[in-house]
Amino acid sequence: MADNISRSLTLTKLQRPRMWRVLLHNDDYTTQDFVVWVLETIFRKPVAEAFAIMMSVHRSGIGVAGVFTYDVAATKVKATQRIAEEHEFPLLVTMEP
């Protein structure tokens, strides 16, 4: 009987969800202080890490704000876009797998 039960059980292998990078793009108008503030408030980065990411964006033109599941990344992108528009900054934020 136990042998029949073990044969009827199927093992489902769970896969980790695909992760998405949220990217901040440099522009000539968004202030560095605003980018640091966004990283601290929306992405929950400590001050030093937020500053380092902002400098990376400033120097190389693009930087990773964080890596999240799709839903979380999309939510953070929308929140960042909304707050940038409210403050009249053209900050571009995108996401990629």
Side-chain angles (χ1 to χ4, degrees):
M1 180 83 163
D3 194 33
N4 289 338
I5 293 173
S6 65
R7 287 184 191 164
S8 66
L9 294 177
T10 57
L11 296 177
T12 304
K13 186 174 181 178
L14 298 177
Q15 294 181 356
R16 289 190 172 268
R18 187 175 194 179
M19 301 303 280
W20 293 74
R21 296 187 308 165
V22 176
L23 305 172
L24 297 177
H25 301 261
N26 190 39
D27 63 67
D28 293 334
Y29 302 100
T30 306
T31 65
Q32 293 178 348
D33 289 338
F34 180 76
V35 174
V36 170
W37 180 77
V38 164
L39 289 163
E40 289 175 324
T41 57
I42 294 176
F43 295 92
R44 304 286 186 219
K45 300 292 184 185
V47 176
E49 187 177 353
F51 184 80
I53 293 169
M54 178 276 298
M55 289 305 296
S56 173
V57 172
H58 179 68
R59 289 185 181 131
S60 66
I62 195 167
V64 178
V67 180
F68 311 95
T69 60
Y70 179 85
D71 291 336
V72 173
T75 299
K76 291 190 182 287
V77 166
K78 288 178 186 175
T80 303
Q81 289 171 337
R82 187 186 75 246
I83 202 110
E85 287 175 10
E86 288 174 3
H87 288 85
E88 299 181 356
F89 287 118
L91 179 62
L92 176 62
V93 56
T94 60
M95 55 189 268
E96 68 179 20

